Amino acid sequence: MAGSESQLAPLMAGMGPIVCSVTVEGDRVLLDLNVEELPEMDDGYLEVWLLDDAGDRMLPIGLLEGYESNYVLPDNFSPSEFPVVEVTRESYDGDTRHSGDSLWRGPLAQG
């Protein structure tokens, strides 16, 4: 089992970083995000995305639902294709596309 760690930088004043850990177990790639402080989300939710270097291709991987969130990345996932992790604020508007309201961004730790 191999693992590594990186940090997602806050893009909003007054917030701390998110610690991003990646572990490879056999064919599975596991992503863990740990954050010490979350913004108030009265009218929306936080979504975690993987992006390519240019930000043209985006893969939603789940909701950030607390101070520690864990994800199993898709089968045959290649970290080199989606090397950026981003957390966005999303609205309950039925639109599943990236909102453009990015709160954290940083490199995907390479497990």
Side-chain angles (χ1 to χ4, degrees):
M1 175 167 55
S4 63
E5 198 172 274
S6 65
Q7 286 196 347
L8 309 184
L11 304 175
M12 184 172 120
M15 300 298 295
I18 292 180
V19 176
C20 171
S21 303
V22 172
T23 306
V24 178
E25 293 181 353
D27 292 340
R28 295 179 353 144
V29 179
L30 309 175
L31 173 65
D32 299 316
L33 299 179
N34 292 282
V35 61
E36 291 186 17
E37 186 178 359
L38 293 169
E40 293 204 18
M41 297 297 299
D42 295 333
D43 59 348
Y45 58 97
L46 299 172
E47 182 140 17
V48 180
W49 302 80
L50 297 175
L51 287 70
D52 67 1
D53 278 323
D56 295 331
R57 293 177 39 217
M58 300 174 189
L59 177 66
I61 61 166
L63 304 181
L64 183 65
E65 297 186 288
Y67 297 102
E68 182 176 333
S69 294
N70 313 100
Y71 312 91
V72 177
L73 299 183
D75 290 342
N76 300 317
F77 173 76
S78 173
S80 62
E81 289 183 49
F82 293 93
V84 178
V85 181
E86 188 167 273
V87 178
T88 60
R89 181 188 332 251
E90 301 291 334
S91 298
Y92 294 113
D93 58 7
D95 187 349
T96 59
R97 293 176 295 179
H98 189 288
S99 68
D101 188 3
S102 303
L103 301 181
W104 286 275
R105 184 180 304 125
L108 177 66
Q110 300 294 312

